[in-house]
Amino acid sequence: PADTPLLFNDILGILQDAANCLWSDEWRIGASPIVEYNNFNGVVKTQIACENGGTVTTKAGTFDNCFKLSLDIGGMSDGWSYRGGKKVYYFAEGVGIVRTENEYCGGAKTAVYELTSYTGTGKGWLPFEDGMTRRYDALDLTDGFVGAVEYEYVADEDGDIVVFANKIGVREV
């Protein structure tokens, strides 16, 4: 259905559910770890492939030497099945996630979210720094659907980074 891509605006949440983390130092080009853990829905098993992601161009800019994380996620069922299957994340060093690709309809379709604006940079492939913002928008939606998410990174009183998400998935008529 035309509204299915709206489900993929939970960019950080889907990655967390797939890998049981947002970033692992085990993820290096050529690595292919398997992550297996129990969640509320049963056993999640994800095959990960780490590759050179090349250059990725989005509305937020062109990012060279990206890191590509391919996920094949099993174990998501019932209302969570959209979080399973094949996903691809592209990371730019100092910026973080710049593009996601989410297969659905048995792999016949792909929902793409790209970084459209951001403020602040940090260290590593997935930085978490006070004051950073990231906005991702769905590409090529049909029938008036609009999907996006904005993340705001804020240091709490202990200096820990808290991420606030503002997600939208609507149909404009």
Side-chain angles (χ1 to χ4, degrees):
D3 61 346
T4 301
L6 301 180
L7 296 171
F8 302 109
N9 70 354
D10 187 12
I11 291 168
L12 294 177
I14 291 171
L15 178 59
Q16 171 72 40
D17 286 349
N20 202 26
C21 65
L22 290 173
W23 183 260
S24 171
D25 290 335
E26 291 179 17
W27 298 346
R28 292 188 169 81
I29 292 173
S32 56
I34 296 174
V35 173
E36 190 169 347
Y37 73 99
N38 291 317
N39 76 356
F40 62 90
N41 203 21
V43 177
V44 174
K45 184 174 183 179
T46 303
Q47 174 66 60
I48 299 173
C50 304
E51 304 168 79
N52 181 331
T55 299
V56 176
T57 299
T58 74
K59 289 180 183 175
T62 297
F63 305 94
D64 295 322
N65 303 313
C66 287
F67 180 84
K68 179 180 176 183
L69 189 70
S70 299
L71 308 166
D72 192 352
I73 308 156
M76 297 288 185
S77 59
D78 300 325
W80 293 94
S81 61
Y82 72 95
R83 291 173 101 84
K86 295 184 180 183
K87 317 270 184 250
V88 178
Y89 281 74
Y90 292 87
F91 298 82
E93 190 155 7
V95 176
I97 299 164
V98 295
R99 178 182 171 96
T100 68
E101 300 169 356
N102 305 271
E103 287 187 4
Y104 65 103
C105 288
K109 296 184 178 186
T110 303
V112 176
Y113 279 79
E114 286 190 346
L115 184 68
T116 52
S117 67
Y118 70 98
T119 57
T121 58
K123 295 179 182 176
W125 292 106
L126 192 58
F128 278 72
E129 302 289 339
D130 185 40
M132 288 187 356
T133 63
R134 302 289 184 265
R135 180 183 170 101
Y136 302 90
D137 286 277
L139 300 184
D140 303 322
L141 298 184
T142 60
D143 297 335
F145 288 101
V146 176
V149 61
E150 294 179 8
Y151 293 108
E152 184 175 356
Y153 299 71
V154 179
D156 67 12
E157 60 276 354
D158 296 323
D160 295 325
I161 302 298
V162 179
V163 181
F164 294 94
N166 183 11
K167 300 175 199 160
I168 184 169
V170 298
R171 185 176 192 186
E172 296 177 344
V173 290

